[in-house]
Amino acid sequence: QVLLVESGGGSVQAGGSLRLSCAASVYTHSDYCMAWFRQAPGKERERVARISTGSGLTYYADSVRGRFTISRDSAKNTVYLQMNSLKPEDTAMYYCAAVSTTTCANLIQPYHFNSWGQGTQVTVSS
């Protein structure tokens, strides 16, 4: 397991942007799948985006594709989620997650990940 610390959440009006950061304490020689999930009140935790730290391949939920971008800075062991054109339905607690693996391709459920951050709140008002 790794220690994950998220930051960058906040309140924004619809159409605005936010960038979330996830700082990870990981062994730099290992490959990880790093992901962002979100959970709104009364709803299940859902995947948003994920990235393989080794290959750089990215995957997005249909609801955010074209608006959100996940990226990594290997030197800083940090993963980012750039969120543009935010909508009220994007309001949720956003969580960073990680698991040691060489591919993110089939890792779509929360139980696939064994390390989680504490979460950062994103609120989008109309």
Side-chain angles (χ1 to χ4, degrees):
Q1 291 187 344
V2 299
L3 177 63
L4 303 173
V5 180
E6 302 105 329
S7 61
S11 297
V12 65
Q13 290 189 330
S17 299
L18 284 173
R19 189 177 80 156
L20 306 183
S21 299
C22 174
S25 61
V26 298
Y27 291 108
T28 56
H29 62 271
S30 298
D31 289 341
Y32 282 79
C33 179
M34 304 292 294
W36 289 97
F37 285 78
R38 66 186 181 187
Q39 188 167 18
K43 295 188 177 181
E44 293 186 351
R45 191 167 296 191
E46 64 173 357
R47 67 185 185 278
V48 175
R50 57 198 192 276
I51 185 169
S52 172
T53 62
S55 66
L57 288 175
T58 58
Y59 306 83
Y60 296 94
D62 289 343
S63 59
V64 306
R65 186 174 290 111
R67 299 188 297 122
F68 291 10
T69 302
I70 189 171
S71 62
R72 75 199 192 289
D73 184 332
S74 299
K76 296 182 179 179
N77 284 342
T78 299
V79 172
Y80 303 97
L81 185 68
Q82 178 66 45
M83 305 184 295
N84 299 328
S85 301
L86 282 161
K87 305 175 181 180
E89 51 263 44
D90 294 318
T91 295
M93 185 72 78
Y94 282 70
Y95 296 91
C96 180
V99 64
S100 178
T101 183
T102 58
T103 178
C104 281
N106 298 316
L107 305 185
I108 62 174
Q109 300 294 342
Y111 63 74
H112 288 139
F113 296 84
N114 58 9
S115 296
W116 291 85
Q118 80 287 354
T120 185
Q121 179 68 37
V122 171
T123 302
V124 184
S125 58
S126 58

